[in-house]
Amino acid sequence: MSSIYDVIVIGGGLSGSQCAADLKANGVNVLLIEARNRFGGRTESIKVDDFWYDLGGQWMGGTHNILKSVCNDLNIQPISQYNEGNHILELNNKHNCYKGNVSTLNLDGNLENTIAIIDKMSEELDPAKPYDHPRAKEWDNITLSNWVNDNVKGADIIKILAWFCKVCLAAEPTEISFLWYLAFIKSAGGFDLLAGVRGGAQQDRLIGGTQQISEKLARERVGQFKLNCKVVGIHQDNAGVTVLIEGGQRLRAKYVANTIPPALAGRIDYKPALPASRDSLTQRMPMGSILKTIVIYDEPFWRRDGFSAEATSEHGPIVSCFDYSSNDGKSNAIVGFIAGQDAREWGEKSLEAGKKDVIECYGRWFGPQALSPKNYLEKDWKNDEFARGAYLAFAPPGTLTACGKALREPVGRMHFAGTETATQWIGYMEGALESGFRCSKELQERLKHDQPSIIAKL
Amino acid sequence: MSSIYDVIVIGGGLSGSQCAADLKANGVNVLLIEARNRFGGRTESIKVDDFWYDLGGQWMGGTHNILKSVCNDLNIQPISQYNEGNHILELNNKHNCYKGNVSTLNLDGNLENTIAIIDKMSEELDPAKPYDHPRAKEWDNITLSNWVNDNVKGADIIKILAWFCKVCLAAEPTEISFLWYLAFIKSAGGFDLLAGVRGGAQQDRLIGGTQQISEKLARERVGQFKLNCKVVGIHQDNAGVTVLIEGGQRLRAKYVANTIPPALAGRIDYKPALPASRDSLTQRMPMGSILKTIVIYDEPFWRRDGFSAEATSEHGPIVSCFDYSSNDGKSNAIVGFIAGQDAREWGEKSLEAGKKDVIECYGRWFGPQALSPKNYLEKDWKNDEFARGAYLAFAPPGTLTACGKALREPVGRMHFAGTETATQWIGYMEGALESGFRCSKELQERLKHDQPSIIAKL
């Protein structure tokens, strides 16, 4: 065994890269390891015709203050999300055009009122411990769909809430715990921030793509890292932790930061075995189902016709799409999402068949020119070996009250990060970074209290 | 690489042992491998004072015809479950004594009517493909609790359905899909068979315990096996399958039978990676939570007082208990279950504290003599490294319709067994054996269609 690190950070996504960078900045001898041949985790950028497209996490929101600060520090520049012109809401086989907020439309039911009720309930929660709320059990025992069916009037509003769930959480309202949903809403600061472009979660994109955040953090700020390094075991003893790498390598540290999402983290061999509560959690938080598509055109023809390319539909397969053009002519594209059960069904189709359905969708909304794209990109995150779903892991009913406490609770010398463990913007890049900083702080605290003799030995 | 087997069966529980035994009986060159140092999986028997107690699967039901035949063949003898005398239903802080069926009690609500409705709905399902039923999506989108709250009148009946769920499924009614619940009921042939002793699922115990079934199958019928052999990888290529064992051993076969329950099977390294539908399934079927206790006394004092030791309670922690005496004086004991959320809470307690709560429970029901046991045994299946829960994996809402088809669908050269894949008595020993036979038949079919040249080579 060649080196003993203070900390090994497992996972080179945003949370792991930030955790390692923060540890390094605080004088900790840290090694960052990543299973892929790249950093970025659930952010992934690819260059097509000299433009970087994000196949994963994409937007920097108006209140994503940690992300803003990190990007500023790394000299990564934002560009505004285009949303001039008419948005489309496809409902009951009818196109409804609107500007600004969807609630300006004449809908069956009162959307603003419903949102206000959900926001109010969510505000009562501490997203760090939603299971401690007096009504936690009641809310965790039902799905979002149950609550909506019992409390929301108006077929249009119920549909809009369902799309919102699919787009924001990559899961069906019938799958997720209502308590977890409220914690998610609270962690973002409310419904409008999640849905919005200006000031909201979809405010800016990043020039050069989002993957570069992790790449720059790892390469420029951490320095000490290993790619293509898949962890298969985490074995703890009284003196430290041995991290077993596929292929036989063994790395040794005093502590580890485990930033892998719960379901995948459960696939590592732990010695001693995980406590039942943590193991149960890893069995109970599956990844969402999302298929991200990018259709590239010769020109942003929709703009000419007064469309923003922002659309939402109940007929799909695209549940929601946005303009993905660069303004300088390098990119003219629409980014669209297929989510939840649709993602599972379209995931079974061929690339050609999927493309056909997607561009027909755009043809319906933005005219026949949409049927002749220049290029088509698609990423089904369920097929990504080191993600096996996205954007985030969700909690089915009963999970948070059964074993939610295990999300962030260290196990011996192992601490946890990852956007699922965030208390702000759970599931977003912002949440990933927050968790990275929090985990770094925890580990610095641990190192500070280590016996001097052990520190001296290192 | 020393040997190339026709089939490697992974997992020496009931399904794997039976699958391997059936393959062997049909002339297949089969190797059975098991991670534990014993066969039996979620059946486990321990000898205390010359009597074998089952810490896991325990009863042979009246319609468990495969199990009966296998036990007969292996010369394992049944003994009737004692249920003479008064049963207890503890409800609203009151002991209700009854004989025979709980529905003879004066309850708030009509239990028989409710059971008839559930049985009727379940009868419509094909438990091999519940997701194909016209109402599958509707039923899979709600939990058992949702359905009960909307359709059942009478507080007592709602409580009884909840206990029944906890006792039979080791899960809360708020956690499980109603579609999956109906499939489970159907697979057993109806509610009464599940609940019953005479003729029902709790009719007989086995002299010498249930673990011996797998032990005998493996040692006497399979012969070719390896214990202490934990599978960490299953790598397929065009010609066969390499099974990677912890410690570095590599085994080679034409096909594999994977009998590990979904969540744990997801923890193996697959090359190529699992298809998204199968991987998603492994993320979405957690193991139930059950803590089994056995309290051993000097004599079966409850019988003297006219009690059967069969009791059900809403106050717990024991949700259900039965007589575990041998009639020849070797054993005088009560077996009791702590299930669902209670199992998670009592799992955090010390053995001493758990014992105290359990015997206080029996003291309340059967008198002060219950407070002075001779011995106390407890098994928390969540802590079992190779089970991580029991009795079976459950399906939260949305799971069966999203990826239920992947339960039994082979992946390349890998076929699946295990009680979760059964279509009769899902979750029971009977279901495990059924799945073992079914999987063996599938593999024999595959081998039959192999090119003769390959067979000749072997």
Side-chain angles (χ1 to χ4, degrees), chain A residues 344-364:
Chain A
R344 296 186 275 263
E345 284 168 23
W346 264 266
E348 303 284 316
K349 297 194 181 198
S350 70
L351 192 70
E352 266 314 304
K355 172 187 168 186
K356 187 167 167 288
D357 292 336
V358 170
I359 63 175
E360 275 178 11
C361 215
Y362 296 157
R364 212 160 70 215

Side-chain angles (χ1 to χ4, degrees), chain A residues 161-173:
Chain A
L161 290 174
W163 305 329
F164 182 77
C165 173
K166 289 171 74 166
V167 170
C168 278
L169 295 163
E172 299 287 339

Side-chain angles (χ1 to χ4, degrees), chain A residues 210-352:
Chain A
T210 54
Q211 188 187 322
Q212 63 182 323
I213 306 170
S214 307
E215 289 281 354
K216 286 189 174 200
L217 282 170
R219 293 178 196 277
E220 298 172 14
R221 305 296 160 95
V222 182
Q224 207 161 238
F225 58 78
K226 289 175 191 283
L227 289 167
N228 302 306
C229 194
K230 182 185 167 187
V231 172
V232 294
I234 299 177
H235 296 183
Q236 299 195 42
D237 52 58
N238 287 337
V241 189
T242 302
V243 178
L244 286 74
I245 309 301
E246 190 176 61
Q249 202 183 354
R250 296 162 79 89
L251 304 166
R252 182 80 180 165
K254 295 169 73 182
Y255 298 96
V256 292
N258 188 341
T259 77
I260 299 173
L264 301 192
R267 296 174 175 186
I268 293 167
D269 178 62
Y270 296 93
K271 286 200 182 15
L274 289 178
S277 60
R278 175 76 200 174
D279 191 277
S280 296
L281 184 82
T282 70
Q283 296 181 40
R284 280 167 173 72
M285 287 195 74
M287 301 298 287
S289 304
I290 197 82
L291 207 148
K292 188 171 179 178
T293 69
I294 298 170
V295 187
I296 304 173
Y297 294 98
D298 287 320
E299 51 169 346
F301 58 90
W302 55 90
R303 294 185 178 186
R304 201 182 50 213
D305 299 328
F307 290 114
S308 64
E310 190 177 326
T312 316
S313 167
E314 70 166 315
H315 305 293
I318 295 294
V319 65
S320 190
C321 65
F322 294 88
D323 187 297
Y324 205 148
S325 308
S326 63
N327 299 332
D328 62 2
K330 269 193 187 169
S331 160
N332 306 294
I334 299 175
V335 54
F337 299 92
I338 304 178
Q341 184 57 24
D342 289 337
R344 296 186 275 263
E345 284 168 23
W346 264 266
E348 303 284 316
K349 297 194 181 198
S350 70
L351 192 70
E352 266 314 304

Side-chain angles (χ1 to χ4, degrees), chain B residues 42 63-64 118-119 121-131 139-140 144 161-171 176-196 201-202 285 390-395 400 407-408 419-432 434:
Chain B
R42 285 170 267 168
T63 65
H64 291 178
I118 293 175
D119 275 345
M121 293 171 85
S122 80
E123 273 164 27
E124 293 178 20
L125 288 180
D126 177 354
K129 35 186 179 176
Y131 35 77
W139 290 341
D140 201 29
L144 168 59
L161 289 174
W163 304 329
F164 183 76
C165 173
K166 289 171 73 166
V167 170
C168 278
L169 295 162
I176 66 172
S177 150
F178 184 57
L179 177 67
W180 180 75
Y181 175 76
L182 291 177
F184 172 84
I185 303 267
K186 172 64 180 287
S187 82
F191 216 95
D192 281 347
L193 285 177
L194 282 161
Q202 285 71 233
M285 287 195 73
Y391 325 113
L392 71 157
F394 68 85
L400 280 187
L407 251 179
R408 273 179 303 274
T419 195
E420 283 79 9
T421 73
T423 59
Q424 286 177 37
W425 289 97
I426 298 169
Y428 284 77
M429 296 192 284
E430 178 77 357
E434 183 224 26

Side-chain angles (χ1 to χ4, degrees), chain B residues 275-322:
Chain B
S277 59
R278 175 77 201 174
D279 191 277
S280 295
L281 184 81
T282 70
Q283 296 180 41
R284 279 166 175 74
M285 287 195 73
M287 302 299 287
S289 303
I290 198 82
L291 207 148
K292 189 171 179 178
T293 68
I294 298 169
V295 188
I296 304 173
Y297 295 98
D298 287 320
E299 50 167 347
F301 59 89
W302 53 91
R303 295 185 178 187
R304 202 182 50 214
D305 299 328
F307 289 114
S308 64
E310 190 177 326
T312 316
S313 168
E314 70 167 315
H315 305 292
I318 295 294
V319 65
S320 192
C321 64
F322 294 88

